[in-house]
Amino acid sequence: MTRYALVVGVGEYSSALPSLPEAQRDAQAMQQVLEQRGFDQVRSLVDPQLQELNESIEELLANRQDSDTLLFYFSGHGLKDSSGEFYLTTRATEKDYVKQTSVSSSLLTKAMNTNQANQILILDCCYSDSATRDAAHSEDLSPRLISENRAILTSSVPWQSFSNRQESELSVYTHYIVQGLKTGLADSDHDGLISVGDLYRYVKRKLRERGLEQEPELLASGKAREIYLTTARRRELKSLRSSQNIAVRKKPEQEEIANLNQLTDIQLLLQALKSQSSNIRQRAAEILGNLQSEDAVLVLAQLLSEDENLDVRSAAAEALGKIYEKQGA
């Protein structure tokens, strides 16, 4: 099985459509996380013209095996014509000539029907001509887009950005997609794999936790919901733990906990997490919350889902929240 992705972000428009700088950053973040999480080929387009986008979609779908997985991600404006058909915009899109300057859902459907590979569409787009900036809903997408081998994730209702996120200003929807894939926390059923259904449930939960009105949608049959995107990094995390061969002399529990307070080395903290003492593991989890690193997030995510002690799991959850708060999540 080979995994291919086409990531598109349209933030600059030559017409009267307002710019969406977040869309460009969304595409970059998606490209990075898909490459990091094992996709074999990832192509990214920023502010493409119509011909370039059409050719790239055809390339994504051409000569694929049924066992392959194809992911198409789009961030930018969406438009509807007078008949209600939904369109993905390009740099040159004009409202008065939307059919001639945009990619229609019917054209996208026709292209995707050329093979039976596993197909994932992720649409983070809004209607730029709507006062409420509503995103694509299921009723706006051609029913022909729905297929047994195809899953469609849409952002739905108002398009917002993390303008307070210093290191990466993304749309809220894409932010949580990237976060769920990067950390492995989107593995909602804890089977070590992240499926389309897992990712949808994670993003929906995170948006609700933040009290946002945004209500994402998943359009997919039962089979398509289980299309696999990536692992939840269980194996990588176990490998990280087992690779540490640091000798730690036996000490009384209170002395070990006191020494932990001075640690910032994640390798030593990993060693502490092997302790039989739940108090030591709990304190190590709390300290990990002070580290702004991907490894710290992975370790805490594992503790949250697998440690048998409730206090350790609670400490891991609080530590993860502390890291995300510092990141502006």
Side-chain angles (χ1 to χ4, degrees):
M1 180 189 79
T2 306
R3 288 178 289 170
Y4 304 89
L6 173 60
V7 174
V8 181
V10 185
E12 293 295 329
Y13 294 88
S14 55
S15 64
L17 290 171
S19 62
L20 292 173
E22 290 90 346
Q24 299 164 331
R25 294 189 287 267
D26 287 347
Q28 181 180 18
M30 281 295 297
Q31 177 186 9
Q32 290 176 348
V33 76
L34 292 176
E35 290 175 341
Q36 292 169 359
R37 306 302 283 116
F39 269 70
D40 300 282
Q41 293 184 25
V42 182
R43 182 177 183 186
S44 177
L45 295 178
V46 176
D47 301 334
Q49 298 289 353
L50 178 60
Q51 182 176 347
E52 183 183 15
L53 180 54
N54 279 327
E55 291 176 352
S56 298
I57 291 173
E58 291 181 7
E59 181 181 342
L60 172 69
L61 297 164
N63 302 317
R64 303 308 184 199
Q65 303 298 316
D66 290 355
S67 60
D68 292 338
T69 296
L70 315 177
L71 186 150
F72 175 66
Y73 168 89
F74 179 88
S75 178
H77 284 305
L79 291 175
K80 289 191 295 184
D81 64 14
S82 57
S83 67
E85 182 167 10
F86 178 71
Y87 291 80
L88 300 177
T89 57
T90 67
R91 183 181 182 89
T93 293
E94 297 184 20
K95 291 182 181 180
D96 293 337
Y97 302 97
V98 62
K99 292 182 181 181
Q100 295 82 5
T101 58
S102 308
V103 176
S104 68
S105 58
S106 59
L107 183 63
L108 184 60
T109 301
K110 183 178 179 181
M112 299 190 78
N113 286 342
T114 59
N115 66 65
Q116 291 301 309
N118 298 313
Q119 300 172 0
I120 304 167
L121 278 76
I122 302 178
L123 305 178
D124 191 354
C125 49
C126 64
Y127 296 148
S128 63
D129 57 348
S130 170
T132 58
R133 296 172 69 87
D134 285 344
H137 289 277
S138 57
E139 63 268 22
D140 303 318
L141 298 172
S142 169
R144 292 171 296 177
L145 265 175
I146 311 302
S147 171
E148 290 185 0
N149 65 312
R150 187 176 305 138
I152 306 171
L153 291 161
T154 67
S155 55
S156 295
V157 199
W159 203 86
Q160 302 169 350
S161 66
F162 269 110
S163 58
N164 63 328
R165 183 175 165 83
Q166 298 299 317
E167 72 277 12
S168 178
E169 296 179 346
L170 307 177
S171 79
V172 176
Y173 182 68
T174 293
H175 170 80
Y176 283 123
I177 287 176
V178 170
Q179 182 186 91
L181 292 175
K182 185 174 183 178
T183 64
L185 292 174
D187 178 22
S188 58
D189 57 8
H190 308 299
D191 64 353
L193 302 175
I194 297 177
S195 68
V196 173
D198 285 332
L199 185 59
Y200 163 71
R201 287 187 290 272
Y202 174 79
V203 174
K204 184 175 183 178
R205 175 170 59 84
K206 297 302 292 185
L207 291 172
R208 285 183 174 178
E209 287 175 358
R210 289 190 63 86
L212 301 175
E213 297 178 1
Q214 195 160 348
E215 186 73 15
E217 294 181 315
L218 170 59
L219 314 176
S221 65
K223 178 183 176 182
R225 285 174 173 264
E226 301 309 315
I227 295 176
Y228 149 79
L229 282 88
T230 184
T231 66
R233 286 199 167 181
R234 295 289 193 274
R235 294 175 185 171
E236 293 92 327
L237 181 54
K238 289 178 181 177
S239 175
L240 178 63
R241 281 179 163 177
S242 63
S243 67
Q244 312 307 324
N245 296 310
I246 302 170
V248 179
R249 149 178 88 83
K250 291 290 183 181
K251 301 174 183 177
E253 181 178 288
Q254 292 303 317
E255 184 181 349
E256 285 200 47
I257 292 176
N259 288 339
L260 283 176
N261 295 331
Q262 309 302 318
L263 293 182
T264 58
D265 189 327
I266 192 169
Q267 294 182 354
L268 293 174
L269 290 170
L270 283 170
Q271 189 69 23
L273 290 173
K274 297 178 182 179
S275 173
Q276 296 297 315
S277 167
S278 61
N279 290 328
I280 291 176
R281 299 199 307 277
Q282 179 180 346
R283 183 55 188 149
E286 292 169 350
I287 295 171
L288 281 167
N290 297 321
L291 306 182
Q292 294 293 307
S293 73
E294 182 177 348
D295 284 342
V297 172
L298 292 173
V299 172
L300 290 168
Q302 179 102 13
L303 285 176
L304 182 60
S305 64
E306 295 185 359
D307 199 284
E308 74 248 5
N309 185 275
L310 178 59
D311 290 335
V312 176
R313 295 198 303 272
S314 297
E318 291 182 9
L320 279 171
K322 187 176 181 181
I323 290 176
Y324 292 144
E325 183 178 359
K326 286 183 178 180
Q327 292 176 344

